[in-house]
Amino acid sequence: RFVLADEVGLGKTIESGLVIQALSATDPDLRVLVVAPGAMSRQWLCELFLRFGEQVFVHVDASRMRDEGCEDLVSAQRLIVSTTALEAYPELREAILAEEWDLVVIDEAHQVPPRLPLYGFLRTLAESCWGLLALSATPSKRDVEGLLGLLALVAPGVYDPNDSESLTRRLALQDRVTA
């Protein structure tokens, strides 16, 4: 369970693909869910196919949901779903939560802070899977709510997204140590 916080363009998608590939080598039945913002979900599909072609992912976005629904799609072993589809289709969220996922990858995780409705869905996912990668090019910039949201996804048993005072105290202590 990690936050991958590299600058834009340094290869967070490829790093995630390498993690997926390594874990799949030890467990061929690994169930992987990638959650990515809107059009970036299609980019994930292309990148994973071009660089790791042996792993087949099913892609679900809002247009596919309109055309097909979600019943058969979410049972795929490897699934990429857009946040747009998740926001627009509550039945998609329910179907995904009904499945067991081994690894969940959340791209641009900082774009879904705890105050947004989609965060509760991501938090429930995070609590139910054993592996989680939260990707962000801008993890906090000292924004306590955003940083706490990321930490609560990666370590839901340790951080509470509603307890910003605890994190603020920890950051203040860190500042005193490094000053």
Side-chain angles (χ1 to χ4, degrees):
R1 301 180 74 89
F2 293 94
V3 174
L4 292 178
D6 286 337
E7 290 292 326
V8 173
L10 288 182
K12 291 179 292 297
T13 304
I14 295 169
E15 290 175 79
S16 299
L18 290 168
V19 169
I20 293 166
Q21 186 177 48
L23 292 173
S24 295
T26 60
D27 180 6
D29 297 324
L30 185 77
R31 299 229 32 232
V32 179
L33 172 65
V34 176
V35 177
M40 289 180 69
S41 64
R42 190 163 302 281
Q43 180 182 337
W44 267 88
L45 181 66
C46 292
E47 284 289 325
L48 290 175
F49 179 76
L50 289 173
R51 300 188 191 279
F52 309 97
E54 74 281 357
Q55 299 176 8
V56 177
F57 281 80
V58 171
H59 178 251
V60 178
D61 61 4
S63 64
R64 189 160 188 190
M65 280 297 297
R66 277 191 303 273
D67 297 340
E68 299 177 39
C70 65
E71 295 310 313
D72 295 329
L73 298 175
V74 298
S75 62
Q77 184 177 351
R78 291 181 170 78
L79 180 67
I80 299 170
V81 63
S82 74
T83 54
T84 308
L86 290 170
E87 290 168 336
Y89 295 94
E91 66 271 22
L92 177 59
R93 293 191 304 270
E94 291 170 16
I96 287 172
L97 290 176
E99 297 288 327
E100 290 186 29
W101 301 99
D102 299 312
L103 176 63
V104 174
V105 179
I106 305 169
D107 192 18
E108 300 291 334
H110 64 278
Q111 289 187 6
V112 188
R115 70 179 177 278
L116 295 183
L118 190 57
Y119 184 85
F121 165 78
L122 296 177
R123 172 83 179 192
T124 302
L125 267 177
E127 292 170 345
S128 65
C129 65
W130 62 262
L132 186 121
L133 296 175
L135 282 54
S136 176
T138 55
S140 77
K141 296 192 177 183
R142 298 300 265 185
D143 165 39
V144 173
E145 179 196 28
L147 180 57
L148 188 56
L150 286 174
L151 293 173
L153 290 174
V154 175
V158 177
Y159 294 96
D160 177 352
N162 299 312
D163 184 11
S164 61
E165 290 179 24
S166 175
L167 182 60
T168 301
R169 283 192 306 274
R170 290 179 189 184
L171 290 173
L173 285 172
Q174 179 182 346
D175 285 346
R176 278 190 265 163
V177 170
T178 58

